[in-house]
Amino acid sequence: MGDNGPPPEFDDVVTRRKRVVVVGLGMVGIVFVEKLMKLDAKRREYDITVIGEEPHLAYNRVALTSYFEHRNVEKLYMQEKSWYDSMPEGSLSYHLNTLATEIDSEKKVVITEKGDSIDYDILVLATGSNAILPKVIPGHDATGVFVYRTVMDLQNLITFSATKKGTTGVVVGGGLLGLEAAKAMMDLNEFGKIRVIESIPYVLGRQVDAEGGAMVVEQIRNLGVDLTLGKMVSKILTDEDKNVTGVEFKDGDTVDGTCVCFAIGVSPRDDLARKSGLNVGPRGGILVGDDLQTSTPDIYAIGECANWGGMCYGLYNPGVEMADILAFNLTDAKFHSPRSLTTPDMSTKLKLLGIGVASFGDAFADQFGPSWMPGKRQDKEVEKTLVKALTFKDPFNQVYKKYLFTKDGKYLLGGMMVGDTNDYAKLLPMSKKHKELEISPAELMIGKSGADEGADDLDDDAQVCSCNNVTKGDITKTIKDGTCKSVVEVKNCTKAGTGCGGCVPLVTSIFNKTMADMGQEVKNHLCSHLAYSRAELFHIVMVKKLESFEAIMEDCGVPGSPGCELCKPAIASILASLFNKHVVDSQRRGLQDTNDKFMANIQRNGTFSVVPRVPGGEITPDKLAAIARVAKKYNLYCKITGGQRLDMFGARKQDLIAIWSELIEAGLESGHAYAKSLRTVKSCVGSSWCRFGIGDSTGMAIKIEERYKSIRSPHKLKGAVSGCVRECAEAQNKDFGLIATEKGFNIFVGGNGGAKPRHSEILAIDVAVHDVIPILDRYLSFYIRTADKLQRTARWIESLPGGIKYLREVILEDKLGICADLERQMNELVSSYFCEWTEAVKSVDRRKQFQQFANTEENVVDTIEPMVERGQQRPSNWVTDSVTEDFRGTKWSSLAWQPVVEASKFKDIATGDSNAVKRGDTQLAIFKVKGKYYCTQQMCPHKRAFVLSDGLIGEDSSAEKKKLWVSCPYHKRNFELTGEDAGKCGGDDSLNIATFEVEEREDGWIYVKLPPVEELDGVLGTDKWRIKEGDEVREREMKEKAKEMVGKKGLAVNGKVKEELVKEGIVVENGSKGIDW
């Protein structure tokens, strides 16, 4: 239901459903609604109305800082709008931008600021809390003072910060909220400096003690955040126009700043309850009993506004627990015993500014006395002496742990962690259950310190997802009863991993372990065509010398199958690693992803980026000038990469051959930036120039890059060489890296940046210069042989039995007796090197593959209109929404067979062949698979990309399915080519493409059954779907207009009434779910 007023009235008092009104559409409010609707799904006892004060649906405050990255509040929604609309008619309605101002408990009515009266049978107050702004401090109302609580607060901060570039932003408060605010202000990239002020001598005082807080302080300062500790703010300094200029402390000291954000806590929002006569606590909060009922019957309070046991709980987890209890008591308690609230668990695990912090159980029992002790309770001061702390501190890896036990070490009471929080899920239930430990305290702390989170030693009631209060048992139940058969389904069903996302690795581990325990194999096969892992298939291909896709399928897979987008690139990589033939020759071209197919990186407007190789980052002025000439001639956008290379963007497919020709003539060659291969070996100048250099880092980097250039591997490879321990080349976060020493080089392996960064580990120290290459040969050969598909060296080393220790034994000590063979194999591979660009330029057949259309020399350019930014041309911004038109259901006025392209343009190859063709202004894709032709539109509707002919063809050859599809090169949307479902998108019902009958005739032409040109262009024409500069702005404005119209009667927008707006697509009329006119 939309924002369309209260639910319908029922005349029959006996049979009508009870009306539950929830005041507050925040995180706890929506969790309660979800739980109540789930428990009430069969009985349908309740209809729910939610009143939300903000203009947005319920969003995730825990992830509020991510708003600065995408600026799209809908990405924070805990449930999409479609979820609300999908509820049974009358069961759920909501009001946005609506403030509840009064409760008439006798009439059981809630009155809103707009004057609406909403009847209830049961009222649930989930009004949350307000950020505290200390009005006793002079200057609290100055321009530039903010709080950090809502999306509106962030939007105001974003707008203001844009006017204060390079100045200092100040955050008052060093707790959870304060550090979140500091992260948010850093992410704005507007302030030159961020300063955090905290009144105590360390941060996170509610989660960790002074020693743990000091370690967090050190890490925060290392991130570039200034910290002022142990000082109280007494005044906001302003200029004569009341603009913030700084902060003054109680001791008279001052600091400068143009913006002050208060994040010193929250206060419960109980004003509605007070005004309506409900009892509130002396320090605020709506008083509730163990059943969460307030002082007035049929009115309940949950979340941060509720005061239970004399305390309001400002964390999300206690609010979820309250929502859970109340939803249960309103439904299942009729058949079971009602549940009562007990002391909420205040344990927390989170990452702040990239620093892992956790506290669990009775984390401060040694300071304030334990809340539980075995045996007879004693005086609090006496009990403090019965608590013993076990502490671990590693200043080198920034890890701090403090676990609290009973004096005899038999019971774990609580603890805190900084840096390494992996054991949190295991220790939390131990501290809550109050059971005797089966191992010693020391074993508990260091036994698996730093190990990956695992599912084996967790009980079913262990909390896995603290954001949504999901236990291990909740997850395993959905797997065991067959409800969920994948991690994605587990997340959708239980909500685990949908909050902050930190528990996803543990959820995955639990899924894999449960499936294995049920006898359901968690397979590591490449795909349904090949029942082998990549490493297993590599070994078979190597031993049997299977040099083609057909031979591999015949011997190892489904004979005659064209494969799919999963196995083809893996097979292409294996063949290249073993036999190194040109990737675009006919036998192998159909295996390649688009980047390899065109030996350049495809960009979002369908053009490509070109990166010549610059070994070690060393380049002559002449070669630089050649690159500049090419870039200027073809109007290419230029950018220096992090790997010391020059990237040229915007090259059209039909221009690649000409661009490469000019670069090759200048002595340059392919940089393989498009391939899963060696990308770069970065270097500093080392002893050649630097006064600190003790090794020729540039020379070694060039030697390494020249040796391993072009070798294909399971994933991309990056290297670096530094000339001394100052490490200017950043060799310790690469797949392999060298640092010069007095005796040679230290070799590091298994590091990477990216989504999951990892510091590399030392493989060998003081390696002589002449021994570096043999060791790297062995390491890279072993990786290529044994790694999984798309597995970086970091994860590969972690997966080895014994990790880096085992790798040293294999590579340095020849534990497996294969070192000579690894070196031989690498020598054979590097000796077969050729420049892929050069060979493509020299070959007539290969050059033909770079024609845009197979049936015409005409070209279509700029399917995304270019714009100029900072003196260079780049494509305009993508629009947000995909194209959801029903292309496959288009009713054409007439269809006629048209000769479109010569059949000789297509090859009969096992992987399938494809080409783009042009008719009028429309681009089409034609595929030939197993002698049969298929034709679709060229545009993928997901991002309006005209690229489908370049996608990989896939097949499901099972008897039940018999499907064929093409996988879009951009984001792997799969569109079916055959049968009744031709044109449908697998996994996204909102997308589809048009398909056309096609056949080869005796005259040697391919004929396609098409509508008249003008009609075809009117539906699929390139110009119709071309993205123009400013389209994304117009799209956003149109959405805002539509939002403004929701719930308004007789509305005219820009002088246009309902019918005109519907016709122009600004609004959609959709019956009872549409706009309420």
Side-chain angles (χ1 to χ4, degrees):
M1 299 301 143
D3 187 350
N4 54 4
E9 294 289 333
F10 294 88
D11 295 327
D12 187 346
V13 179
V14 177
T15 59
R16 77 168 178 83
R17 290 188 282 270
K18 290 184 178 179
R19 296 161 297 195
V20 176
V21 174
V22 181
V23 178
L25 186 51
M27 292 178 72
V28 173
I30 191 61
V31 166
F32 168 73
V33 170
E34 288 177 18
K35 291 179 181 294
L36 182 61
M37 296 197 75
K38 185 175 181 179
L39 293 173
D40 189 46
K42 291 183 178 178
R43 289 188 290 268
R44 287 288 285 114
E45 192 176 349
Y46 299 106
D47 284 335
I48 303 171
T49 300
V50 190
I51 303 171
E53 182 180 344
E54 292 190 62
H56 314 292
L57 296 174
Y59 56 86
N60 186 352
R61 293 187 198 276
V62 176
L64 207 53
T65 52
S66 68
Y67 181 78
F68 292 100
E69 300 169 13
H70 48 71
R71 310 287 172 96
N72 182 357
V73 68
E74 291 183 5
K75 291 188 176 181
L76 295 175
Y77 281 177
M78 298 181 72
Q79 290 286 5
E80 295 179 354
K81 184 179 181 299
S82 58
W83 177 85
Y84 296 78
D85 294 341
S86 69
M87 293 299 115
E89 186 74 26
S91 64
L92 175 61
S93 60
Y94 60 88
H95 301 264
L96 302 180
N97 262 330
T98 302
L99 178 67
T101 55
E102 185 180 347
I103 302 166
D104 187 336
S105 57
E106 289 187 4
K107 295 181 179 178
K108 288 197 168 183
V109 171
V110 176
I111 300 169
T112 72
E113 191 176 39
K114 299 175 182 178
D116 295 329
S117 296
I118 302 174
D119 297 332
Y120 71 84
D121 295 300
I122 295 169
L123 178 62
V124 179
L125 301 178
T127 48
S129 57
N130 287 319
I132 294 174
L133 179 64
K135 296 184 178 179
V136 296
I137 295 180
H140 72 273
D141 56 350
T143 301
V145 177
F146 298 87
V147 292
Y148 183 85
R149 182 66 181 166
T150 67
V151 167
M152 183 174 288
D153 292 334
L154 268 63
Q155 290 170 338
N156 292 338
L157 187 57
I158 289 169
T159 302
F160 181 82
S161 66
T163 68
K164 301 295 177 183
K165 288 183 181 291
T167 62
T168 298
V170 177
V171 176
V172 180
L176 294 178
L177 200 61
L179 297 188
E180 282 283 334
K183 168 75 164 55
M185 292 175 75
M186 287 177 68
D187 288 345
L188 284 171
N189 291 320
E190 302 285 6
F191 295 106
K193 183 165 61 175
I194 302 297
R195 180 184 298 276
V196 176
I197 298 168
E198 172 56 41
S199 59
I200 64 174
Y202 58 94
V203 297
L204 297 179
R206 288 176 179 259
Q207 281 71 42
V208 294
D209 60 11
E211 199 164 7
M215 183 168 283
V216 178
V217 165
E218 182 181 348
Q219 294 182 68
I220 291 174
R221 282 179 169 151
N222 289 340
L223 292 171
V225 177
D226 286 354
L227 287 170
T228 300
L229 304 172
K231 285 181 177 285
M232 296 279 288
V233 174
S234 64
K235 183 180 181 182
I236 306 297
L237 302 176
T238 63
D239 60 19
E240 59 188 17
D241 295 321
K242 290 203 73 176
N243 296 306
V244 171
T245 60
V247 169
E248 182 175 309
F249 301 106
K250 285 192 173 180
D251 60 7
D253 287 349
T254 63
V255 292
D256 293 334
T258 60
C259 174
V260 176
C261 183
F262 280 95
I264 55 175
V266 294
S267 61
R269 294 191 61 188
D270 58 12
D271 45 339
L272 175 63
R274 279 179 195 274
K275 182 179 177 181
S276 303
L278 277 67
N279 291 347
V280 297
R283 293 188 176 183
I286 307 165
L287 293 177
V288 297
D290 293 350
D291 61 352
L292 298 166
Q293 187 166 250
T294 67
S295 56
T296 300
D298 295 326
I299 300 180
Y300 299 81
I302 57 175
E304 296 172 345
C305 67
N307 183 324
W308 178 82
M311 183 173 177
C312 294
Y313 294 86
L315 292 176
Y316 175 49
N317 202 35
V320 172
E321 188 175 349
M322 293 179 191
D324 206 15
I325 290 170
L326 183 55
F328 179 89
N329 287 348
L330 292 176
T331 53
D332 286 4
K334 298 178 179 67
F335 314 98
H336 306 279
S337 298
R339 291 171 56 186
S340 297
L341 184 65
T342 56
T343 304
D345 180 21
M346 299 295 283
S347 302
T348 53
K349 177 190 175 187
L350 62 162
K351 273 203 170 185
L352 295 163
L353 294 167
I355 305 162
V357 178
S359 64
F360 62 93
D362 209 346
F364 293 92
D366 57 338
Q367 297 182 32
F368 306 115
S371 58
W372 174 89
M373 285 288 281
K376 188 177 179 181
R377 298 305 300 266
Q378 301 181 53
D379 178 81
K380 208 74 169 173
E381 291 302 316
V382 174
E383 285 189 339
K384 282 186 195 178
T385 66
L386 302 178
V387 177
K388 279 195 172 181
L390 182 61
T391 305
F392 172 83
K393 185 177 181 182
D394 178 2
F396 305 102
N397 291 306
Q398 300 288 2
V399 174
Y400 173 76
K401 297 182 182 183
K402 179 181 177 182
Y403 300 167
L404 302 178
F405 301 86
T406 53
K407 194 172 183 178
D408 56 9
K410 291 182 178 179
Y411 295 91
L412 175 67
L413 300 176
M416 57 192 68
M417 310 166 177
V418 174
D420 178 8
T421 61
N422 283 328
D423 289 336
Y424 172 85
K426 179 175 68 177
L427 299 178
L428 175 59
M430 287 186 182
S431 66
K432 291 169 72 174
K433 287 182 178 178
H434 306 147
K435 289 184 178 179
E436 274 195 33
L437 299 174
E438 297 176 355
I439 56 176
S440 69
E443 229 180 317
L444 194 64
M445 177 167 281
I446 64 176
K448 292 186 179 180
S449 176
D452 286 342
E453 295 180 330
D456 292 354
D457 48 3
L458 293 181
D459 293 331
D460 278 349
D461 60 354
Q463 188 185 66
V464 173
C465 175
S466 58
C467 291
N468 291 300
N469 195 24
V470 183
T471 65
K472 177 187 174 184
D474 295 332
I475 295 170
T476 57
K477 180 180 181 297
T478 66
I479 302 166
K480 290 175 180 177
D481 64 17
T483 304
C484 300
K485 295 181 174 62
S486 69
V487 174
V488 173
E489 290 178 353
V490 169
K491 290 170 67 178
N492 290 338
C493 185
T494 67
K495 301 298 181 185
T498 60
C500 70
C503 63
V504 172
L506 184 53
V507 173
T508 304
S509 175
I510 291 170
F511 175 80
N512 291 340
K513 177 69 167 57
T514 306
M515 290 288 283
D517 289 346
M518 292 167 60
Q520 301 289 323
E521 185 180 0
V522 182
K523 296 178 180 178
N524 191 28
H525 298 168
L526 280 175
C527 67
S528 62
H529 303 106
L530 290 154
Y532 298 99
S533 68
R534 181 203 170 273
E536 291 167 343
L537 186 63
F538 185 97
H539 184 74
I540 294 169
V541 173
M542 179 177 69
V543 172
K544 294 188 174 183
K545 294 184 170 54
L546 305 175
E547 297 192 26
S548 69
F549 173 77
E550 299 97 308
I552 292 172
M553 279 296 183
E554 188 69 33
D555 193 279
C556 311
V558 179
S561 171
C564 67
E565 74 279 6
L566 301 177
C567 63
K568 282 179 172 177
I571 290 173
S573 174
I574 290 171
L575 291 174
S577 295
L578 286 169
F579 310 113
N580 200 27
K581 306 295 183 184
H582 205 296
V583 293
V584 300
D585 284 349
S586 59
Q587 281 192 327
R588 288 166 291 279
R589 185 170 184 265
L591 297 172
Q592 313 299 333
D593 267 321
T594 304
N595 287 356
D596 284 280
K597 187 178 292 184
F598 297 108
M599 294 174 285
N601 288 53
I602 194 168
Q603 303 302 321
R604 64 182 179 85
N605 64 342
T607 65
F608 294 82
S609 65
V610 176
V611 186
R613 187 167 298 284
V614 182
E618 182 184 79
I619 190 168
T620 65
D622 286 342
K623 288 181 179 178
L624 272 177
I627 292 173
R629 282 196 303 272
V630 168
K632 196 164 186 179
K633 179 176 178 179
Y634 295 94
N635 195 22
L636 304 180
Y637 173 103
C638 296
K639 191 177 186 302
I640 304 294
T641 74
Q644 301 176 336
R645 303 296 181 267
L646 211 158
D647 204 341
M648 295 176 282
F649 293 82
R652 294 169 181 144
K653 179 167 69 176
Q654 58 269 27
D655 291 335
L656 287 173
I657 292 290
I659 290 170
W660 296 339
S661 297
E662 295 189 36
L663 293 173
I664 291 164
E665 191 176 339
L668 294 156
E669 60 184 354
S670 168
H672 289 89
Y674 49 83
K676 297 291 186 281
S677 66
L678 179 71
R679 297 287 179 85
T680 64
V681 182
K682 190 176 178 180
S683 73
C684 64
V685 293
S687 57
S688 302
W689 288 91
C690 181
R691 66 186 186 278
F692 300 111
I694 57 175
D696 181 10
S697 52
T698 305
M700 178 58 80
I702 293 171
K703 182 178 181 181
I704 292 171
E705 187 163 347
E706 291 285 3
R707 179 168 180 79
Y708 302 120
K709 62 186 179 184
S710 91
I711 63 166
R712 294 305 206 278
S713 49
H715 211 298
K716 62 187 175 187
L717 291 167
K718 295 183 179 182
V721 185
S722 286
C724 72
V725 293
R726 284 175 173 78
E727 246 283 72
C728 294
E730 301 167 326
Q732 292 178 82
N733 71 346
K734 301 291 189 289
D735 296 284
F736 61 86
L738 278 63
I739 300 177
T741 69
E742 295 291 347
K743 297 180 181 179
F745 289 92
N746 289 342
I747 299 178
F748 295 82
V749 293
N752 65 255
K756 193 174 181 182
R758 184 182 189 270
H759 204 269
S760 57
E761 298 179 90
I762 190 116
L763 178 66
I765 62 173
D766 292 331
V767 177
V769 173
H770 61 271
D771 287 333
V772 168
I773 294 298
I775 290 175
L776 289 181
D777 278 357
R778 299 172 191 175
Y779 166 68
L780 293 174
S781 287
F782 193 49
Y783 166 62
I784 291 170
R785 281 188 183 187
T786 61
D788 204 356
K789 177 184 67 174
L790 297 178
Q791 188 176 42
R792 290 295 298 268
T793 57
R795 307 285 86 79
W796 169 65
I797 291 174
E798 289 172 353
S799 71
L800 293 174
I804 188 67
K805 182 174 182 288
Y806 174 76
L807 186 64
R808 291 192 194 108
E809 292 171 346
V810 172
I811 302 304
L812 304 179
E813 302 169 20
D814 201 10
K815 178 178 181 176
L816 302 180
I818 60 172
C819 283
D821 192 45
L822 294 173
E823 290 181 45
R824 176 197 57 75
Q825 192 169 23
M826 183 57 71
N827 276 322
E828 289 178 359
L829 185 57
V830 299
S831 65
S832 66
Y833 170 77
F834 55 88
C835 173
E836 291 174 348
W837 287 354
T838 302
E839 295 306 308
V841 168
K842 291 189 319 190
S843 167
V844 175
D845 284 341
R846 291 173 187 144
R847 291 168 71 103
K848 289 178 182 177
Q849 298 172 17
F850 294 84
Q851 185 175 326
Q852 188 176 13
F853 300 110
N855 66 334
T856 178
E857 295 292 330
E858 292 180 26
N859 292 310
V860 173
V861 299
D862 299 332
T863 56
I864 299 181
E865 190 173 84
M867 60 181 287
V868 176
E869 186 173 74
R870 296 182 293 276
Q872 296 198 85
Q873 187 171 286
R874 70 147 175 107
S876 297
N877 296 330
W878 259 339
V879 292
T880 304
D881 292 342
S882 301
V883 180
T884 56
E885 290 200 14
D886 184 16
F887 293 112
R888 67 188 295 267
T890 302
K891 304 297 182 184
W892 306 106
S893 63
S894 64
L895 293 169
W897 288 102
Q898 302 289 331
V900 174
V901 61
E902 294 177 83
S904 60
K905 299 287 186 179
F906 294 83
K907 292 183 169 61
D908 281 308
I909 50 179
T911 53
D913 198 12
S914 57
N915 279 298
V917 297
K918 183 174 181 289
R919 183 172 185 267
D921 189 42
T922 298
Q923 301 181 45
L924 301 172
I926 299 180
F927 308 90
K928 186 178 184 181
V929 188
K930 297 181 181 179
K932 189 172 180 181
Y933 292 90
Y934 306 88
C935 180
T936 73
Q937 67 189 58
Q938 172 74 332
M939 183 187 75
C940 173
H942 177 227
K943 288 295 183 183
R944 301 196 203 177
F946 294 81
V947 293
L948 288 183
S949 64
D950 297 329
L952 289 170
I953 297 165
E955 179 191 57
D956 185 337
S957 52
S958 62
E960 320 85 64
K961 298 181 180 176
K962 291 285 184 186
K963 292 195 302 186
L964 196 70
W965 63 83
V966 60
S967 183
C968 175
Y970 275 23
H971 301 108
K972 303 304 180 189
R973 296 296 196 278
N974 292 348
F975 295 94
E976 297 191 29
L977 299 176
T978 56
E980 293 181 358
D981 290 338
K984 283 188 176 180
C985 178
D988 190 342
D989 292 337
S990 68
L991 303 181
N992 67 88
I993 58 174
T995 61
F996 303 92
E997 292 183 60
V998 56
E999 64 184 26
E1000 180 182 352
R1001 293 188 179 177
E1002 291 181 359
D1003 61 1
W1005 280 77
I1006 305 298
Y1007 283 70
V1008 184
K1009 202 171 187 180
L1010 295 170
V1013 172
E1014 296 78 8
E1015 188 178 357
L1016 183 65
D1017 288 347
V1019 176
L1020 295 172
T1022 304
D1023 194 55
K1024 175 181 173 68
W1025 298 110
R1026 180 178 278 112
I1027 295 174
K1028 298 178 177 64
E1029 184 175 357
D1031 273 359
E1032 87 286 359
V1033 176
R1034 287 185 282 275
E1035 178 192 49
R1036 189 164 58 247
E1037 289 173 347
M1038 190 175 289
K1039 286 182 179 179
E1040 289 303 318
K1041 285 182 181 178
K1043 285 181 182 177
E1044 289 169 8
M1045 291 184 293
V1046 174
K1048 297 185 179 179
K1049 305 263 183 186
L1051 181 66
V1053 178
N1054 293 336
K1056 298 174 182 177
V1057 294
K1058 170 187 173 183
E1059 290 75 15
E1060 293 175 280
L1061 293 167
V1062 172
K1063 185 177 180 182
E1064 293 181 19
I1066 295 175
V1067 300
V1068 177
E1069 187 174 29
N1070 189 24
S1072 63
K1073 295 184 180 180
I1075 294 170
D1076 177 18
W1077 290 86

